[in-house]
Amino acid sequence: MESSMANPADVASIDAIIAAAYDSISGPAGQKRDWDRERTLYYPGARLIPTAKPGTNSGLAPQILDVDGFIARVEPYFAEHGFFEKEIARRTEQSGHIAHVWSTYESRHNPDDPEPFMRGINGIQLFYDGSRWWIVTIFWQQESTDHPIPAEYL
């Protein structure tokens, strides 16, 4: 199903797979991320969907990427900039084999920066196949002055 087997510790629980997702994209400028590890977290056909401004005068719109499209989008940035993202709050709803997680994040260029340069919310949909968790979708929006993070998500 996947190119290489996931580390069972990365996919054993909702906590574990979300921690692995944040960990796999975090690191200092120029450090090559472990994209093989990243790929093992996602169900085949999974989507990563930043909410971004497609053009200079455009409003926000979802940009629908597959895992390799996401990697291509972030790799040039990671080559030049440190990027450390961590979860600061979570709300989880689960029914049977599916779960939806609202995961509030902070992003820093260095882990010890006093203030994040960005915050936002990830809407993460997950699937449990009976032996492991998979990420099916991550849909996110950065915080802005127009759209601050609601208090109940902090």
Side-chain angles (χ1 to χ4, degrees), residues 14-104:
I14 292 173
D15 280 348
I17 197 167
I18 290 174
Y22 282 113
D23 186 52
S24 65
I25 61 170
S26 295
Q31 177 183 294
K32 184 89 170 152
R33 304 304 193 264
D34 185 349
W35 296 127
D36 289 337
R37 178 190 185 197
E38 168 89 350
R39 288 181 183 97
T40 68
L41 306 176
Y42 292 86
Y43 198 78
R47 293 293 179 256
L48 293 97
I49 310 171
T51 305
K53 293 191 177 192
T56 48
N57 298 316
S58 309
L60 290 174
Q63 181 186 3
I64 299 173
L65 305 168
D66 61 14
V67 177
D68 287 330
F70 169 76
I71 292 168
R73 181 181 190 264
V74 297
E75 229 172 5
Y77 182 83
F78 291 169
E80 302 290 324
H81 304 275
F83 185 82
F84 293 84
E85 197 163 86
K86 71 174 186 180
E87 184 179 61
I88 59 165
R90 182 189 307 172
R91 294 177 65 170
T92 303
E93 296 178 9
Q94 183 178 347
S95 178
H97 287 255
I98 65 172
H100 187 93
V101 174
W102 291 105
S103 176
T104 307

Side-chain angles (χ1 to χ4, degrees), residues 101-121:
V101 174
W102 291 105
S103 176
T104 307
Y105 62 83
E106 290 183 342
S107 307
R108 287 174 167 78
H109 294 299
N110 296 290
D112 54 358
D113 289 348
E115 292 297 321
F117 69 87
M118 181 175 65
R119 302 193 311 176
I121 296 183

